[in-house]
Amino acid sequence: MKILAYGVRDDEMPYLEEWQKQNPDVEVKAVPELITDETVEWAKGYDGVDVYQQLPYTDTVFEKLDSYGIHNVSLRNVGVDNMNPEAVKKYNMNITNVPVYSPAAIAEFSVAQLMNLLRRTKEYFHKFDRNDYRWAPQISHELNDQVVGVIGTGHIGQVAINIYKGFGAKVIAYDKFHNPELEKEGLYVDSLEELYKQATVITLHIPLFPETEHMLDKAAFDQMNDGVFIVNASRGPLIDESALIDALDSGKVAGAALDVLEDETKVFNKDLTGKNMDYPEFWNLTSRENVLVSPHTAFYTDVAVKNMVQYSLSANKDLIETGTSDKLVKF
Ligand code: NAD
């Protein structure tokens, strides 16, 4: 049994090699190149491919895989939005993904960034760099004193809630579908309006759908408490960035921690040293002392990368051996 893994980064290799040792019946070859109309030809003679890329999977890639008799494609990530569902069906592709690789990675990061906001660490680091070691006027806030409004109580939201409870914060939550355990604890409020009214911190852990795009817009900010803190480690377009900038200007929002941005593909995971790029909201937000922008790194831990690599290879092996997998994506 042979699997060709595309787009493999150096940091993924140790986990791929570990999986290979545990599965000596499978031969895995790793290449750093992404799967394209040209590189797909390298898959001839393999039983499956393992992939991860932001760039689109072209219809030709699937057409060629089909012509080589390969129908097993395993993603090391979650999203399948960069492949055409019609092509997937037309060429009888079995696609698996890794829907849950480490909710704690994202939850812990979002809490850490909130702590940095509350304790104003960016401002202190900048003062420190100027040899200014005075503490005033950067008086900070305590997490245990906050009312944390968690929007989205799925895998990541639940871990975040447990961490916030550990810090002694009051937690309230909103989700379209209630988790029975959290329901028993009485954490849910009935509406977003209610959450906006009560929360001193709002953290987003819901997916991006047409209905959730710009969920935090001017109308939403207007309903929030003055001096609210916003955390987004979910998806950039959940927040209307222009409205956020206005809310920061007015003081409605006291600070924001953003691991994702509306137009982040222009910037994130790229080396733009010495280059200028046309994204005024990015420059506006990153220049602020009370805004922390990180380049979509919440997921990037050893545990998460290991799980992404090893779960995807196991899913590909399952597909090859049995024709199915518990990680099969329905199109
Ligand atoms: P999940 O599917 O387990 O949970 C999402 C929750 O959102 C569910 O409980 C669902 O009922 C709820 N929901 C969906 N639509 C809603 C709506 N309109 N209103 C209220 N609630 C709604 O997902 P998860 O694994 O917890 O991930 C949450 C999000 O985190 C993902 O969608 C992804 O965008 C983001 N994410 C970010 C990173 C990162 O590195 N920053 C990594 C992984 C995931």
Side-chain angles (χ1 to χ4, degrees):
M1 189 188 309
K2 288 167 72 182
I3 299 173
L4 181 58
Y6 284 93
V8 179
R9 304 182 310 265
D10 287 349
D11 57 277
E12 293 178 304
M13 277 310 289
Y15 307 118
L16 188 142
E17 283 160 5
E18 186 183 76
W19 187 90
Q20 172 75 88
K21 276 199 198 109
Q22 290 159 359
N23 294 270
D25 52 328
V26 187
E27 186 188 320
V28 186
K29 181 170 176 190
V31 293
E33 290 84 358
L34 303 179
I35 193 166
T36 64
D37 295 356
E38 291 76 41
T39 62
V40 65
E41 289 171 15
W42 304 342
K44 266 185 219 166
Y46 285 82
D47 303 294
V49 294
D50 184 277
V51 289
Y52 178 18
Q53 64 192 46
Q54 259 92 46
L55 286 177
Y57 298 93
T58 67
D59 294 3
T60 307
V61 160
F62 295 126
E63 186 187 351
K64 286 194 175 173
L65 286 175
D66 180 42
S67 75
Y68 311 148
I70 302 171
H71 297 98
N72 306 314
V73 179
S74 295
L75 272 60
R76 303 198 287 282
N77 60 317
V78 190
V80 291
D81 41 313
N82 53 349
M83 49 179 68
N84 171 10
E86 296 314 316
V88 168
K89 284 185 255 180
K90 180 173 172 193
Y91 298 112
N92 296 314
M93 291 293 137
N94 288 322
I95 310 278
T96 62
N97 68 351
V98 185
V100 182
Y101 42 82
S102 178
I106 297 100
E108 287 180 11
F109 185 83
S110 64
V111 179
Q113 288 295 77
L114 174 63
M115 293 291 279
N116 281 320
L117 272 187
L118 294 175
R119 302 313 294 247
R120 306 177 69 162
T121 51
K122 186 174 174 183
E123 292 169 78
Y124 277 111
F125 287 151
H126 286 164
K127 278 173 75 167
F128 207 93
D129 285 347
R130 297 192 301 269
N131 293 351
D132 179 351
Y133 309 114
R134 293 170 298 176
W135 55 76
Q138 277 78 19
I139 193 159
S140 300
H141 309 282
E142 297 181 25
L143 181 47
N144 67 82
D145 191 40
Q146 306 300 315
V147 179
V148 182
V150 178
I151 303 181
T153 57
H155 293 96
I156 298 169
Q158 280 178 58
V159 179
I161 287 173
N162 282 337
I163 300 173
Y164 285 124
K165 287 197 296 200
F167 271 98
K170 179 175 177 193
V171 178
I172 56 172
Y174 176 80
D175 197 300
K176 262 178 134 174
F177 304 97
H178 287 192
N179 169 303
E181 288 305 311
L182 300 178
E183 177 98 329
K184 264 192 249 161
E185 293 178 42
L187 294 191
Y188 287 108
V189 291
D190 293 333
S191 65
L192 281 171
E193 291 69 26
E194 191 52 42
L195 184 136
Y196 296 153
K197 209 162 97 188
Q198 290 189 36
T200 59
V201 170
I202 292 173
T203 180
L204 301 176
H205 298 292
I206 51 163
L208 178 65
F209 295 130
E211 82 208 59
T212 57
E213 187 169 348
H214 284 190
M215 171 181 246
L216 299 196
D217 58 6
K218 181 180 177 338
F221 288 122
D222 284 348
Q223 295 170 60
M224 295 176 195
N225 283 303
D226 290 342
V228 67
F229 290 92
I230 304 290
V231 181
N232 186 10
S234 196
R235 284 291 178 266
L238 294 172
I239 299 183
D240 175 346
E241 269 164 19
S242 306
L244 174 63
I245 287 169
D246 291 343
L248 284 159
D249 283 340
S250 72
K252 171 59 83 176
V253 171
L258 310 170
D259 188 48
V260 286
L261 291 175
E262 276 203 84
D263 245 341
E264 67 181 44
T265 50
K266 275 187 182 167
V267 194
F268 290 174
N269 216 8
K270 291 194 163 85
D271 181 1
L272 298 173
T273 311
K275 299 204 178 92
N276 210 343
M277 116 296 277
D278 179 27
Y279 189 177
E281 292 82 2
F282 175 81
W283 297 115
N284 182 307
L285 290 166
T286 52
S287 68
R288 291 174 187 262
E289 293 282 279
N290 57 346
V291 176
L292 308 176
V293 178
S294 47
H296 207 139
T297 42
F299 84 98
Y300 192 52
T301 66
D302 49 1
V303 175
V305 172
K306 174 179 172 163
N307 289 344
M308 292 165 98
V309 169
Q310 298 193 347
Y311 291 173
S312 72
L313 287 170
S314 295
N316 206 255
K317 184 179 175 188
D318 285 347
L319 285 179
I320 296 165
E321 278 178 349
T322 69
T324 190
S325 152
D326 60 356
K327 295 193 171 47
L328 201 62
V329 180
K330 290 195 182 70
F331 282 88

